[in-house]
Amino acid sequence: EVQLLESGGGLVQPGGSLRLSCAASGFTFSSNAMSWVRQAPGKGLLWVSAITATGITTYYADSVKGRFTISRDNSKNMVFLQMNGLRADDTAVYFCARGGSSGRLDYWGQGTLVTVSP
Amino acid sequence: QSALTQPPSASGSPGQSVTISCTGTSSDVGGYNYVSWYQQHPGKAPKLMIYEVTQRPSGIPDRFSGSKSGNTASLTVSGLQPEDEADYYCLSYAGANNLGVFGTGTKVTVL
């Protein structure tokens, strides 16, 4: 059974940093691209970042480019999202999903809430 | 990239059909056959319902179907059931070196 479990969310002040983690199991992690998608309270979905199976290529939404960094550790079946320079409009539930830029996000975690507030 | 355009809401009675549109441009929906659809119940993670315009993942009922014409993709839910009441989002590939673009979302109500 495919499982994705996010962690690392919480309350952070504007300008602060957080590192989200996603632990994957139930599939060959090193053969799959991975993504982060976020959803602000009461709003729609935004694809934040993606990373290829090898980790060589990464993608970012314009709104987070230069502030967020996606990475992965294929030896530990984990994907990470380092978030720096956080702003109030980064407040959202962040979902980890299996899949990459082709858009077939076939498994999702339950999400972790990030709140950016003074 | 701008979000794809979906109607805010759609509704139908049990047993009826509802169709949701997803309009983009030739740079996303119209340019590739990589449109997917996601169902999201309140407080839950999105669930993949359709991928590559028309393909259903294993376990998704054939009441859900997808299509595309030009720059507009569509999701049809036939034989509406109470559990189909949810938000639905489309997602389109937007070319190499780009992340895909989600639609604005449609709330489906089963009357």
PDB file of all heavy atoms in Angstrom, chain B residues 48-61:
ATOM      1  N   LEU B  48      -6.927  11.351  -7.274  1.00  0.00           N
ATOM      2  CA  LEU B  48      -6.874  11.311  -8.733  1.00  0.00           C
ATOM      3  C   LEU B  48      -8.048  10.521  -9.283  1.00  0.00           C
ATOM      4  O   LEU B  48      -8.260   9.364  -8.915  1.00  0.00           O
ATOM      5  CB  LEU B  48      -5.554  10.666  -9.184  1.00  0.00           C
ATOM      6  CG  LEU B  48      -5.357  10.487 -10.686  1.00  0.00           C
ATOM      7  CD1 LEU B  48      -5.250  11.832 -11.388  1.00  0.00           C
ATOM      8  CD2 LEU B  48      -4.123   9.623 -10.964  1.00  0.00           C
ATOM      9  N   MET B  49      -8.809  11.146 -10.195  1.00  0.00           N
ATOM     10  CA  MET B  49      -9.975  10.506 -10.769  1.00  0.00           C
ATOM     11  C   MET B  49      -9.780  10.176 -12.248  1.00  0.00           C
ATOM     12  O   MET B  49     -10.298   9.169 -12.746  1.00  0.00           O
ATOM     13  CB  MET B  49     -11.206  11.408 -10.620  1.00  0.00           C
ATOM     14  CG  MET B  49     -11.489  11.855  -9.202  1.00  0.00           C
ATOM     15  SD  MET B  49     -11.752  10.505  -8.060  1.00  0.00           S
ATOM     16  CE  MET B  49     -13.383   9.977  -8.526  1.00  0.00           C
ATOM     17  N   ILE B  50      -9.082  11.048 -12.958  1.00  0.00           N
ATOM     18  CA  ILE B  50      -8.836  10.904 -14.399  1.00  0.00           C
ATOM     19  C   ILE B  50      -7.427  11.419 -14.677  1.00  0.00           C
ATOM     20  O   ILE B  50      -7.001  12.429 -14.103  1.00  0.00           O
ATOM     21  CB  ILE B  50      -9.838  11.731 -15.237  1.00  0.00           C
ATOM     22  CG1 ILE B  50     -11.264  11.220 -15.071  1.00  0.00           C
ATOM     23  CG2 ILE B  50      -9.427  11.766 -16.719  1.00  0.00           C
ATOM     24  CD1 ILE B  50     -11.559   9.900 -15.780  1.00  0.00           C
ATOM     25  N   TYR B  51      -6.696  10.740 -15.556  1.00  0.00           N
ATOM     26  CA  TYR B  51      -5.409  11.248 -16.002  1.00  0.00           C
ATOM     27  C   TYR B  51      -5.293  11.102 -17.515  1.00  0.00           C
ATOM     28  O   TYR B  51      -6.032  10.321 -18.129  1.00  0.00           O
ATOM     29  CB  TYR B  51      -4.249  10.558 -15.276  1.00  0.00           C
ATOM     30  CG  TYR B  51      -4.089   9.085 -15.597  1.00  0.00           C
ATOM     31  CD1 TYR B  51      -3.185   8.650 -16.554  1.00  0.00           C
ATOM     32  CD2 TYR B  51      -4.841   8.121 -14.927  1.00  0.00           C
ATOM     33  CE1 TYR B  51      -3.037   7.309 -16.849  1.00  0.00           C
ATOM     34  CE2 TYR B  51      -4.704   6.778 -15.217  1.00  0.00           C
ATOM     35  CZ  TYR B  51      -3.804   6.380 -16.183  1.00  0.00           C
ATOM     36  OH  TYR B  51      -3.663   5.042 -16.470  1.00  0.00           O
ATOM     37  N   GLU B  52      -4.389  11.829 -18.099  1.00  0.00           N
ATOM     38  CA  GLU B  52      -4.187  11.820 -19.562  1.00  0.00           C
ATOM     39  C   GLU B  52      -5.525  11.946 -20.286  1.00  0.00           C
ATOM     40  O   GLU B  52      -5.825  11.190 -21.212  1.00  0.00           O
ATOM     41  CB  GLU B  52      -3.411  10.581 -19.979  1.00  0.00           C
ATOM     42  CG  GLU B  52      -1.979  10.625 -19.474  1.00  0.00           C
ATOM     43  CD  GLU B  52      -1.192   9.342 -19.754  1.00  0.00           C
ATOM     44  OE1 GLU B  52      -1.673   8.495 -20.524  1.00  0.00           O
ATOM     45  OE2 GLU B  52      -0.100   9.205 -19.183  1.00  0.00           O
ATOM     46  N   VAL B  53      -6.300  12.903 -19.852  1.00  0.00           N
ATOM     47  CA  VAL B  53      -7.592  13.330 -20.428  1.00  0.00           C
ATOM     48  C   VAL B  53      -8.717  12.328 -20.190  1.00  0.00           C
ATOM     49  O   VAL B  53      -9.809  12.720 -19.759  1.00  0.00           O
ATOM     50  CB  VAL B  53      -7.471  13.636 -21.944  1.00  0.00           C
ATOM     51  CG1 VAL B  53      -8.829  14.055 -22.502  1.00  0.00           C
ATOM     52  CG2 VAL B  53      -6.430  14.720 -22.209  1.00  0.00           C
ATOM     53  N   THR B  54      -8.465  11.056 -20.489  1.00  0.00           N
ATOM     54  CA  THR B  54      -9.568  10.080 -20.495  1.00  0.00           C
ATOM     55  C   THR B  54      -9.342   8.835 -19.638  1.00  0.00           C
ATOM     56  O   THR B  54     -10.257   8.032 -19.497  1.00  0.00           O
ATOM     57  CB  THR B  54      -9.837   9.597 -21.932  1.00  0.00           C
ATOM     58  OG1 THR B  54      -8.646   8.934 -22.410  1.00  0.00           O
ATOM     59  CG2 THR B  54     -10.192  10.742 -22.860  1.00  0.00           C
ATOM     60  N   GLN B  55      -8.158   8.679 -19.085  1.00  0.00           N
ATOM     61  CA  GLN B  55      -7.813   7.431 -18.399  1.00  0.00           C
ATOM     62  C   GLN B  55      -8.254   7.438 -16.935  1.00  0.00           C
ATOM     63  O   GLN B  55      -8.053   8.421 -16.226  1.00  0.00           O
ATOM     64  CB  GLN B  55      -6.308   7.194 -18.490  1.00  0.00           C
ATOM     65  CG  GLN B  55      -5.775   7.158 -19.904  1.00  0.00           C
ATOM     66  CD  GLN B  55      -6.454   6.090 -20.736  1.00  0.00           C
ATOM     67  OE1 GLN B  55      -6.424   4.906 -20.411  1.00  0.00           O
ATOM     68  NE2 GLN B  55      -7.079   6.498 -21.853  1.00  0.00           N
ATOM     69  N   ARG B  56      -8.837   6.310 -16.518  1.00  0.00           N
ATOM     70  CA  ARG B  56      -9.260   6.162 -15.123  1.00  0.00           C
ATOM     71  C   ARG B  56      -8.275   5.272 -14.376  1.00  0.00           C
ATOM     72  O   ARG B  56      -7.972   4.163 -14.831  1.00  0.00           O
ATOM     73  CB  ARG B  56     -10.647   5.515 -15.041  1.00  0.00           C
ATOM     74  CG  ARG B  56     -11.806   6.452 -15.137  1.00  0.00           C
ATOM     75  CD  ARG B  56     -13.112   5.706 -14.810  1.00  0.00           C
ATOM     76  NE  ARG B  56     -13.200   4.441 -15.512  1.00  0.00           N
ATOM     77  CZ  ARG B  56     -13.631   4.319 -16.760  1.00  0.00           C
ATOM     78  NH1 ARG B  56     -13.994   5.398 -17.431  1.00  0.00           N
ATOM     79  NH2 ARG B  56     -13.698   3.130 -17.331  1.00  0.00           N
ATOM     80  N   PRO B  57      -7.804   5.720 -13.215  1.00  0.00           N
ATOM     81  CA  PRO B  57      -6.960   4.837 -12.398  1.00  0.00           C
ATOM     82  C   PRO B  57      -7.773   3.644 -11.919  1.00  0.00           C
ATOM     83  O   PRO B  57      -9.011   3.685 -11.879  1.00  0.00           O
ATOM     84  CB  PRO B  57      -6.557   5.722 -11.211  1.00  0.00           C
ATOM     85  CG  PRO B  57      -6.796   7.114 -11.666  1.00  0.00           C
ATOM     86  CD  PRO B  57      -7.926   7.045 -12.637  1.00  0.00           C
ATOM     87  N   SER B  58      -7.081   2.606 -11.544  1.00  0.00           N
ATOM     88  CA  SER B  58      -7.736   1.433 -10.994  1.00  0.00           C
ATOM     89  C   SER B  58      -8.595   1.819  -9.793  1.00  0.00           C
ATOM     90  O   SER B  58      -8.157   2.590  -8.924  1.00  0.00           O
ATOM     91  CB  SER B  58      -6.674   0.410 -10.573  1.00  0.00           C
ATOM     92  OG  SER B  58      -7.256  -0.674  -9.922  1.00  0.00           O
ATOM     93  N   GLY B  59      -9.828   1.310  -9.762  1.00  0.00           N
ATOM     94  CA  GLY B  59     -10.711   1.562  -8.632  1.00  0.00           C
ATOM     95  C   GLY B  59     -11.648   2.745  -8.800  1.00  0.00           C
ATOM     96  O   GLY B  59     -12.556   2.929  -7.980  1.00  0.00           O
ATOM     97  N   ILE B  60     -11.440   3.534  -9.834  1.00  0.00           N
ATOM     98  CA  ILE B  60     -12.339   4.670 -10.088  1.00  0.00           C
ATOM     99  C   ILE B  60     -13.511   4.186 -10.933  1.00  0.00           C
ATOM    100  O   ILE B  60     -13.306   3.598 -12.004  1.00  0.00           O
ATOM    101  CB  ILE B  60     -11.605   5.824 -10.793  1.00  0.00           C
ATOM    102  CG1 ILE B  60     -10.414   6.292  -9.946  1.00  0.00           C
ATOM    103  CG2 ILE B  60     -12.566   6.979 -11.084  1.00  0.00           C
ATOM    104  CD1 ILE B  60     -10.774   6.771  -8.555  1.00  0.00           C
ATOM    105  N   PRO B  61     -14.740   4.427 -10.489  1.00  0.00           N
ATOM    106  CA  PRO B  61     -15.906   3.936 -11.235  1.00  0.00           C
ATOM    107  C   PRO B  61     -15.987   4.531 -12.643  1.00  0.00           C
ATOM    108  O   PRO B  61     -15.571   5.683 -12.863  1.00  0.00           O
ATOM    109  CB  PRO B  61     -17.098   4.416 -10.382  1.00  0.00           C
ATOM    110  CG  PRO B  61     -16.542   4.776  -9.065  1.00  0.00           C
ATOM    111  CD  PRO B  61     -15.129   5.155  -9.267  1.00  0.00           C
TER     112      PRO B  61
END
